[in-house]
Amino acid sequence: MKETKYFTLHLFAGLVLFFILGFHFLYTHIGTILYKVEDNISIERSQGRDSQTIFLVFFIFLLGFGLYHALFGLKNILHELTSSNGLKNFITGVIVIVGIFLFVFGSYFSVKAYKNQQIKTSKAEVINVK
Amino acid sequence: MSNEINVKFHIRRYNPKKDKSPYFQVFDIPVSKGMVILDALHYIRENYDSSLAFRYSCRMGVCGSCGMLINGSPTLACNTQILDVSDKEITIGPLPNFQILKDLVPDLMPLFEKHRSISPFIIRDEKELDDPEGEYYQTPEQLEEYLQFTYCIKCGCCMAACPTLATDKNYLGPQPLSQAHRYNKDTRDSGRKKRNEITGSRDGAFKCHYAGECSRVCPKGVDPAKAVQILKRQLVFEFLHLIKKQEPCQKLHGPGKGEKLDIPEAPEKTV
């Protein structure tokens, strides 16, 4: 039943990605095309989003669910190439390690960007006050 | 016979004791309307080469012994009209995804072992086995839920057509999975959770890509692909505790605690 648990989570991640990516495309790309939101993909707007806590949570969720969904699918494809249970376990192990590494790596830079933007914002506020 | 035409049969031959690899042998067979592939194989064995090995039994599409690859499609030799396939050349080989024992005879043991692993029988309380209470009533609608899957004759054609099984021999395959679904859906059965351990495992239902070849080639019209998809859905729903409780069978009558249903008596005999 373990596989049922992982597969259910895979489906759930797919569903979450549908909404998260839908929001991302609507906000960042489709909005730019359909509603002429001129600077949604500009570096300033992107940095502005980095400084907001809601977007930090959004990015980490997108990263986590995206990685799980993609790597679980990749694991299934790779498992089909071999009948050896040892090799299957090895593939699973490698994918888990790669997944954790990518998640930590991505999360670290999201948090770093968030903090940098927070510092920049607070400095700007200090200058404005002065 | 005047209506006979000659058809070339390319038969895949392989004897693991003698041959290094399989090879094709061509036989020219006089074919008349109504002849099936199995007739042609008998003709070859009686007139050309008595060493040709193939498996058959009932000759009427019931036993599932004569499954083989005919012009690239796994099907029953006794159930396939030669002229429906081709009037010029026909290629016959053993079922793929199985080891070859000799010529057209595949080793179906992996199929039977996988089939056995899903407990293909009605599971009830052990107490009930010692002290049977009576028969269990099943509505036509409840029967309809699994009826088509009972037509499986274990010929192995679906397993031979499965592209996932071709790359991963550990995958359970469409036949055992559809049979697991058949017993899960039977209202007399209470072994679903036990079967879920096997069907929901790493080599179980979730490996199916829904290519649908198993359903296309099934000579008995069973739809294993549908069974596997329903099985997947049930596994997920069961994990999420969303599955509907299966309606238990009513006891029809019995020697002890069983209650008799309100079924009208048969009319008296007139003759």
Side-chain angles (χ1 to χ4, degrees):
Chain A
M1 288 294 275
K2 253 187 184 177
E3 195 67 14
T4 308
K5 186 166 71 183
Y6 299 144
F7 187 78
T8 309
L9 191 56
H10 178 67
L11 292 180
F12 179 70
L15 194 68
V16 171
L17 280 179
F18 179 77
F19 288 107
I20 292 182
L21 281 178
F23 174 73
H24 166 76
F25 276 105
L26 197 70
Y27 188 81
T28 317
H29 304 293
I30 298 172
T32 312
I33 299 162
L34 295 181
Y35 306 111
K36 297 181 181 172
V37 183
E38 299 279 326
D39 59 349
N40 244 7
I41 46 174
S42 67
I43 189 73
E44 291 80 19
R45 287 292 292 261
S46 177
Q47 283 175 338
R49 286 196 290 274
D50 285 346
S51 66
Q52 294 175 39
T53 314
I54 182 99
F55 274 100
L56 173 69
V57 175
F58 176 83
F59 289 143
I60 290 175
F61 266 80
L62 181 61
L63 182 68
F65 282 110
L67 276 174
Y68 181 82
H69 191 79
L71 293 176
F72 185 83
L74 180 67
K75 183 214 81 170
N76 283 349
I77 293 166
L78 294 177
H79 274 203
E80 276 174 25
L81 302 178
T82 175
S83 293
S84 155
N85 279 332
L87 193 55
K88 279 179 184 176
N89 289 339
F90 175 73
I91 290 168
T92 309
V94 169
I95 283 178
V96 167
I97 291 166
V98 168
I100 291 170
F101 171 75
L102 289 176
F103 182 72
V104 171
F105 187 77
S107 302
Y108 171 75
F109 281 103
S110 295
V111 172
K112 200 172 180 185
Y114 171 74
K115 280 185 176 169
N116 284 348
Q117 288 306 317
Q118 290 279 320
I119 293 164
K120 272 187 192 174
T121 315
S122 57
K123 273 183 184 172
E125 278 170 4
V126 170
I127 292 164
N128 282 344
V129 169
K130 279 182 179 175
Chain B
M1 280 188 278
S2 59
N3 288 336
E4 279 182 351
I5 54 164
N6 274 24
V7 177
K8 270 188 182 157
F9 279 79
H10 300 256
I11 311 285
R12 196 166 186 235
R13 306 295 305 270
Y14 180 56
N15 185 352
K17 288 179 185 166
K18 283 195 322 193
D19 306 322
K20 280 184 181 167
S21 59
Y23 62 95
F24 280 96
Q25 203 174 356
V26 184
F27 301 94
D28 221 9
I29 311 286
V31 171
S32 56
K33 198 181 170 193
M35 271 178 78
V36 293
I37 299 285
L38 191 62
D39 294 330
L41 294 175
H42 278 296
Y43 187 91
I44 292 168
R45 195 147 77 173
E46 283 163 16
N47 297 286
Y48 293 114
D49 188 348
S50 59
S51 71
L52 176 67
F54 55 95
R55 195 189 275 135
Y56 73 98
S57 182
C58 73
R59 300 175 187 228
M60 54 185 187
V62 174
C63 70
S65 302
C66 61
M68 49 189 77
L69 194 71
I70 298 165
N71 268 12
S73 184
T75 190
L76 298 179
C78 68
N79 218 13
T80 309
Q81 294 280 326
I82 296 171
L83 297 177
D84 283 352
V85 181
S86 173
D87 56 0
K88 289 187 177 74
E89 298 197 34
I90 292 176
T91 307
I92 303 176
L95 287 178
N97 298 348
F98 295 104
Q99 279 203 320
I100 308 169
L101 294 178
K102 196 187 171 196
D103 296 336
L104 304 175
V105 183
D107 180 11
L108 294 178
M109 276 316 285
L111 161 67
F112 299 134
E113 278 162 14
K114 286 175 182 174
H115 183 238
R116 195 178 291 129
S117 74
I118 55 99
S119 307
F121 42 82
I122 288 171
I123 299 172
R124 305 281 307 195
D125 284 346
E126 275 186 30
K127 194 182 142 198
E128 223 180 33
L129 289 173
D130 299 330
D131 183 21
E133 291 179 345
E135 292 176 51
Y136 286 85
Y137 181 72
Q138 207 166 43
T139 64
E141 290 77 23
Q142 288 172 334
L143 176 69
E144 194 65 34
E145 286 275 314
Y146 67 86
L147 183 65
Q148 68 143 315
F149 304 109
T150 64
Y151 298 143
C152 172
I153 53 171
K154 297 160 204 73
C155 59
C157 289
C158 57
M159 303 286 272
C162 177
T164 312
L165 203 59
T167 55
D168 188 353
K169 301 285 172 210
N170 294 339
Y171 170 51
L172 269 179
Q175 195 278 335
L177 289 170
S178 68
Q179 289 312 293
H181 174 66
R182 175 254 175 273
Y183 285 98
N184 286 351
K185 275 286 165 190
D186 195 321
T187 50
R188 296 166 297 178
D189 178 79
S190 58
R192 195 176 65 215
K193 285 200 171 152
K194 186 185 170 192
R195 277 183 215 105
N196 284 354
E197 293 295 323
I198 308 294
T199 55
S201 69
R202 189 160 74 176
D203 299 315
F206 297 117
K207 279 218 164 151
C208 171
H209 294 287
Y210 200 17
E213 276 299 290
C214 49
S215 301
R216 194 183 65 80
V217 301
C218 179
K220 302 304 284 184
V222 181
D223 191 351
K226 180 186 174 186
V228 181
Q229 305 323 303
I230 299 172
L231 202 58
K232 278 186 201 173
R233 189 176 65 192
Q234 279 188 323
L235 283 163
V236 171
F237 278 22
E238 185 129 356
F239 174 70
L240 298 171
H241 303 284
L242 293 174
I243 203 156
K244 269 195 281 180
K245 206 177 172 188
Q246 208 165 33
E247 210 177 305
C249 276
Q250 283 177 281
K251 282 178 202 128
L252 188 61
H253 55 76
K257 300 157 228 165
E259 285 172 20
K260 197 168 181 178
L261 291 173
D262 189 21
I263 294 173
E265 294 290 325
E268 278 187 29
K269 284 179 183 172
T270 53
V271 181

